[in-house]
Each structure stands twice: as structure tokens, then as C-alpha cells.
Amino acid sequence: MGFEYKNGELYVENLKVRDIVKDVKTPAYIYSKKHFQEQFEKFNKAFTREHCVSFAIKANSNLSVIKTFAELGSGADIVSKGELFRALKAGIDPSKIVFSGVAKTDDEIEYAIENGIMMMNLESLDELYAVDRVAKKLNKKGRIAFRVNPDVDPKTHPYISTGLKKNKFGIPYEEAFDAYMQAKNLDNIEIYGIQFHIGSQLLDSTPIYDASVKVAELMRKLQDSGIELKAIDVGGGLGIVYNKKEDNPPSVETYAKQIEDAFKEFPNALLVLEPGRFLVGNGGIMVTKVVYHKTNGKKNFIIVDAGMNDLIRPSLYGAFQEIQPITQKGNKKIVCDIVGPICETGDFLARDYEIEDTENGQYLAVFSSGAYGFTMASNYNSRPKAVEVMVDNDAYKIIRKRESLEDLIKGETL
Ligand code: LLP
């Protein structure tokens, strides 16, 4: 879907990647609008009860990408004032926005309340008191949910696992009931929902089911004490295929059914979903140019013009992302490290990777770069950020210009 080789030539929808990079140069992020739309429809259709899909925009927060989802009726899961600003600019309906994160400041809380978002998902009592205080000042009510930490092992990379007791996220399951009781006593708080998010790139749907069952149990207890929740937000996390030989995520239908089964005794609550990676991950590639080859001792290196500042997932998580030449010539295969220009040993896109050898000046595509690719990019080593391009059928549009040298020093003084 979206990206396909035809006679050894990589296409995005109906455009040759080679033709795009000839114009826009590298490194370049290239997205398929159709892929985004199809993933959204697939996800949306899998749920049968009343629900709201709120795209986790940290995965890809380009305005045009957010707008693509807004046009399909998507909401947004945001984690900062900056993300809320982007979501509103891109046309997301505020009543479909949920606000995650452990450290919401007064300023962010005020911006969220003023803009009438659906709810703020709170992660501590300190945060509850802050919302109460800010809401009072505004003479409004702060609509809240608590993010409950269900202590379920999501069986994913430790850096992206969030629902264990040892993680900083959420309110411990055992303390959540009392937190709601506290909230009930505050004048400027409207208790609206409950939320959990156990981790990202989940390749097994059992942990999400187990967490849902635990949260449903807590909801029963709250109901018995007179607290009816209007929204159940199950976070994001559904995994995608990065490695065709190894990754076998559950189908979105299985994922949806397990969640709906766990919460069937609360049919009137709105189910909120916060998918990020599922919607955009496989809808983007990062294209980079081979600049040099070299061999040190026994190791072969392909040196490219994109580094860990452009795409950090391989360096940070040891994440696997498939890499292929955009024009396959049938050259002999080599085993090599594909490395960037940054002055760090950890600057690689792949290690001990088997790939058809590609001459200097040719291009490689790093697949599955639509999520947590550009959004995690930095200017390390004073490298301007890459261009972002969106393809729609047989046309492409630059949706973020490559940064210039002047952009690099913007706001600095001599
Ligand atoms: N909701 C909350 C509260 C989250 O913290 C996240 C992701 C999501 C939703 C979306 O999760 P998704 O559906 O995309 O798995 N940078 C890492 C991933 C970090 C995920 C952080 N939270 C990576 O590149 O793998």
C-alpha cells in the first residue's frame, strides 16, 4: 500500500521516488496520502461501538498530515501546547482532542481549557490540583480523566513500555479510585473519563486486553460509588510490520474486538483511541543518498547523507527499519553498516545489514519512517532538517521546506 517496486523502480503511489528526489534532494521524507487515508479508514471501521479516533500527533505532526486526518473526522492526542497549537491549526475539532503527558504546566492547562478540548488525562494528584486552580482562575471547569497505570507488561522495547509500575506514567492502579474521590470534591473539576496507555509497537493484543479488563473492574467500582464516566480512552500502541520476517502484529479487528469485549458493560461511554504509528508508520520513507563506501578492516560501510539527527530510531532503540535502493539494479549483495555523517559511533541506520550494493550517488529508501521519523529529528551537528513531501496519486507537494542555514541560527544573537 502506497510504496511499491515496479521493474526494480520504487514508486510512491503513481510517482517514481527517483523523480521526486531529483527535485527535492536528500535527505527527504516522502509520505503517501493514500496510505494514511486507508489506514485511518481501516482502523475506524474495526470499531463497532461509538468511538473517537484521536491521532497521536507526536508520531507525525506535520500540518498537512494532521489535516489529512482531520478531514476524515479524526481527533488528536496531544502532549504539549505546541501539539495543541498544531492540531487546532490543522483543523482538528477541539472536542475530539485529549491531552496526555506527565508534566502539564499551568500555561498548557489554561490553553487546553480555553480551547475546550475533550479532556486532560492526568497522571498525578499534583496535576489534578493544578487543573482545579487554573480552572478556578478562568471561572471554568477542567474536564479530566485519570491515566491509570494498570501494571501490565506490554512486551515491547523497555523505552516505549509505559504501563508498568516502575514507569513514570499514570496513577498506580491501587490509588486510582482514591484519586477520583479526591477529584469529586473539587469545585472546578468535571470528571469525564478514564485513560490508560501501556506502550507502543505492541505485537501481542493480550496485554491490552488484560489492561482493559483491569480498567473495566475499576470503572465498576467507581460506578458503585456514583461516578459515571463518559469516556474510556485506551491509548495507542498497536504495532506495525517493520521486519517482514519477524513482526506479526494482531489485526486491527482482533485488537478492536478485545477492547470492545472488555468494556461491553459500559455501552454508553465513548471509546477513545489514540493510534499513532498504526496510522502513519508505513506511510513514509526517508530517502538518503549514498555518498561514499569504505572498508575498515573487515567491516564494510555505506556512508549516506542522513544521520541520527534525521532518523534516530535505529540509534536510540536499535530499531530495525528495512533499507533498499530506490532503483534496484541486481548488483551483488554486501553485508555492511549503513552510517551517517554525525560524529558519533551510534550514528547508524542499520548494522550488519545485507543489501544490494549501491554506487556512490545512488539513493536508498529507509522504509517505515512515517512515524517517529521527522518528529524526532534534531539539528545536531548543525544539520538543517530534511524536507517533507506528500504524494497524492500522481502529484507531490512539499509540505515542509528543507531548512536553510539561516533557519539554523534563527533566534540566536552574536
Ligand atoms: N498515546 C499516548 C499517551 C502515548 O504516549 C503514545 C506514544 C501514543 C498514544 C501513540 O502510540 P503509538 O500508537 O504510536 O504506538 N518514539 C518511539 C515511540 C514512542 C511512543 C510514545 N508514546 C518509537 O519511535 O518507537
Side-chain angles (χ1 to χ4, degrees):
M1 246 190 321
F3 300 85
E4 198 188 357
Y5 280 96
K6 291 181 209 161
N7 297 323
E9 194 65 51
L10 182 62
Y11 281 75
V12 194
E13 301 192 15
N14 289 318
L15 282 185
K16 260 189 210 160
V17 173
R18 193 152 48 105
D19 290 340
I20 304 172
V21 293
K22 235 189 272 161
D23 295 347
V24 305
K25 309 289 186 295
T26 52
Y29 276 90
I30 304 180
Y31 308 124
S32 159
K33 186 168 184 177
K34 184 161 150 233
H35 182 93
F36 292 161
Q37 291 167 329
E38 288 180 356
Q39 288 299 98
F40 184 89
E41 294 300 356
K42 206 162 141 186
F43 193 92
N44 200 24
K45 265 203 227 119
F47 291 87
T48 55
R49 61 184 283 166
E50 201 192 338
H51 66 280
C52 173
V53 180
S54 292
F55 170 46
I57 70 173
K58 63 171 82 64
N60 190 324
S61 49
N62 183 290
L63 287 181
S64 290
V65 176
I66 303 173
K67 181 165 169 249
T68 302
F69 292 115
E71 284 171 353
L72 297 171
S74 180
D77 164 45
I78 54 129
V79 290
S80 67
K81 188 172 182 180
E83 284 195 350
L84 180 49
F85 174 71
R86 282 179 179 276
L88 296 170
K89 275 253 179 249
I92 299 265
D93 175 351
S95 72
K96 295 180 180 173
I97 297 179
V98 294
F99 194 169
S100 306
V102 291
K104 298 171 202 78
T105 61
D106 281 15
D107 178 44
E108 291 179 310
I109 293 167
E110 181 167 337
Y111 191 54
I113 295 177
E114 290 288 21
N115 281 291
I117 70 166
M118 184 196 306
M119 61 187 183
M120 287 171 272
N121 298 334
L122 308 186
E123 309 216 16
S124 61
L125 286 177
D126 277 3
E127 215 177 27
L128 172 70
Y129 303 137
V131 173
D132 186 52
R133 182 168 25 81
V134 175
K136 184 173 181 191
K137 187 184 98 183
L138 300 174
N139 206 13
K140 291 196 168 153
K141 289 221 177 209
R143 265 196 302 276
I144 64 115
F146 283 109
R147 174 168 177 173
V148 177
N149 183 334
D151 196 26
V152 168
D153 185 355
K155 301 185 191 133
T156 185
H157 190 287
Y159 281 17
I160 53 177
S161 141
T162 50
L164 283 171
K165 263 194 183 151
K166 63 179 180 187
N167 301 133
K168 71 174 173 181
F169 295 101
I171 303 229
Y173 184 78
E174 304 73 33
E175 293 168 28
F177 180 82
D178 288 344
Y180 277 98
M181 293 304 138
Q182 290 272 339
K184 207 174 149 183
N185 293 329
L186 297 176
D187 293 339
N188 310 292
I189 294 290
E190 179 188 346
I191 296 174
Y192 198 81
I194 191 160
Q195 193 256 9
F196 65 98
H197 169 82
I198 58 172
S200 199
Q201 183 56 6
L202 306 177
L203 294 176
D204 177 353
S205 64
T206 318
I208 188 105
Y209 178 73
D210 294 346
S212 300
V213 168
K214 276 183 100 169
V215 170
E217 238 171 72
L218 178 61
M219 286 179 69
R220 217 170 295 135
K221 220 173 132 194
L222 288 166
Q223 200 171 40
D224 292 344
S225 304
I227 296 184
E228 291 278 349
L229 299 174
K230 297 193 185 77
I232 308 167
D233 179 346
V234 303
L238 180 57
I240 60 167
V241 176
Y242 283 93
N243 187 336
K244 291 195 192 86
K245 288 189 205 122
E246 285 178 16
D247 301 339
N248 189 16
S251 73
V252 62
E253 290 77 18
T254 303
Y255 171 80
K257 184 168 182 332
Q258 293 207 316
I259 293 169
E260 290 191 346
D261 278 354
F263 291 109
K264 60 176 173 294
E265 52 187 299
F266 303 100
N268 298 325
L270 176 73
L271 185 66
V272 181
L273 297 311
E274 304 172 357
R277 193 187 317 262
F278 181 86
L279 298 183
V280 290
N282 278 324
I285 55 174
M286 199 269 294
V287 184
T288 180
K289 185 156 82 175
V290 176
V291 278
Y292 301 118
H293 282 69
K294 77 175 187 180
T295 305
N296 278 1
K298 282 201 175 116
K299 224 170 176 50
N300 296 313
F301 294 94
I302 290 186
I303 304 172
V304 297
D305 69 355
M308 64 193 283
N309 73 297
D310 298 297
L311 180 67
I312 204 176
R313 302 192 67 261
S315 301
L316 188 59
Y317 313 115
F320 173 92
Q321 293 190 215
E322 193 182 323
I323 305 179
Q324 294 295 336
I326 65 166
T327 308
Q328 295 172 328
K329 296 190 167 175
N331 293 346
K332 72 168 186 348
K333 294 207 164 161
I334 60 166
V335 173
C336 61
D337 284 10
I338 301 175
V339 300
I342 301 274
C343 300
E344 299 252 5
T345 304
D347 178 33
F348 57 84
L349 295 173
R351 280 193 295 192
D352 298 320
Y353 192 78
E354 192 182 54
I355 186 168
E356 155 181 340
D357 200 7
T358 309
E359 289 126 50
N360 296 346
Q362 281 200 300
Y363 299 100
L364 301 178
V366 184
F367 288 88
S368 313
S369 296
Y372 309 107
F374 189 90
T375 51
M376 293 179 81
S378 77
N379 291 115
Y380 187 39
N381 279 202
S382 283
R383 291 169 47 80
K385 284 191 192 154
V387 63
E388 289 180 288
V389 171
M390 179 124 80
V391 175
D392 184 5
N393 195 8
D394 54 6
Y396 79 82
K397 193 168 143 196
I398 291 179
I399 57 172
R400 191 183 201 274
K401 281 200 285 196
R402 181 181 306 289
E403 283 182 351
S404 66
L405 292 178
E406 288 304 320
D407 290 333
L408 275 183
I409 55 171
K410 193 169 160 219
E412 292 183 36
T413 45
L414 273 173

